[in-house]
Amino acid sequence: MIKIGQGIDVHRFVRGRKLILGGVDVPHSHGLEGHSDADVLTHAIMDALLGAIGERDIGVLFPNTDEVYKGADSLKLLEHVRKLLEKKRARINNVDCTILAEKPKLSPHILMMKQKLAAVLKISEETIAIKATTTEKLGFTGREEGMVALAVVLIEC
């Protein structure tokens, strides 16, 4: 059976934190606020994968009320999600993502993001697409207040 999952995540920019996207430390004046490392890209991918296998979202699986996940590396959380897929005998066909942010420029970091995500998910880099776009200075992303990531996945069970 073929299944589709979608995920979205949003985080506010704050000073004093690293900006982590797809497991990559992206140089920027601000990081993203969150209980874990606030990796908006990886969070969107996890929610898409969980949705595709009929599970609840990462807020249920990794609650921000649990100190175990304080500052957690989202790639480690993604590994846990991958294991859930394996238990359900689900195979990832592809992952398609879009990041919305005015700054920083993300294109120099996308290849490394794909490499890290592919390694954790145990899939080929060619099956992951990551695009970055601005919102032409419109809305909270345009005002550089935060960042959004969207993900769609196709799996076979």
Side-chain angles (χ1 to χ4, degrees):
M1 181 181 301
I2 295 175
K3 295 182 178 184
I4 297 170
Q6 67 174 356
I8 182 171
D9 199 38
V10 178
H11 285 275
R12 172 190 319 271
F13 277 124
V14 293
R15 288 198 176 274
R17 287 197 66 158
K18 289 182 176 184
L19 176 58
I20 308 294
L21 295 171
V24 175
D25 186 350
V26 177
H28 191 50
S29 61
H30 291 71
L32 294 170
E33 183 177 54
H35 187 67
S36 66
D37 62 6
D39 183 338
V40 70
L41 175 60
T42 303
H43 293 183
I45 294 168
M46 286 190 287
D47 271 345
L49 291 167
L50 289 167
I53 61 170
E55 294 290 333
R56 304 256 328 257
D57 62 45
I58 62 171
V60 173
L61 196 58
F62 311 112
N64 64 6
T65 55
D66 191 334
E67 287 301 306
V68 169
Y69 304 114
K70 178 94 172 140
D73 178 343
S74 291
L75 290 183
K76 299 257 188 246
L77 304 179
L78 180 63
E79 185 175 4
H80 179 79
V81 170
R82 188 203 76 235
K83 289 177 182 176
L84 289 176
L85 267 76
E86 289 171 353
K87 283 182 186 174
K88 293 195 174 198
R89 298 193 173 154
R91 184 177 65 84
I92 300 169
N93 283 349
N94 75 304
V95 177
D96 185 15
C97 310
T98 304
I99 304 169
L100 289 79
E102 291 297 317
K103 290 181 184 170
K105 187 161 183 66
L106 298 176
S107 59
H109 308 284
I110 288 177
L111 179 59
M112 181 62 72
M113 291 177 204
K114 287 176 63 165
Q115 290 170 346
K116 287 186 175 260
L117 292 165
V120 172
L121 292 172
K122 296 184 178 179
I123 59 176
S124 166
E125 292 171 37
E126 289 76 37
T127 62
I128 301 175
I130 302 172
K131 290 112 36 217
T133 190
T134 70
T135 56
E136 301 297 328
K137 307 252 185 236
L138 297 172
F140 75 92
T141 56
R143 292 186 301 271
E144 300 178 37
E145 296 171 6
M147 187 176 282
V148 177
L150 307 160
V152 177
V153 300
L154 182 70
I155 66 166
E156 285 185 61
C157 297

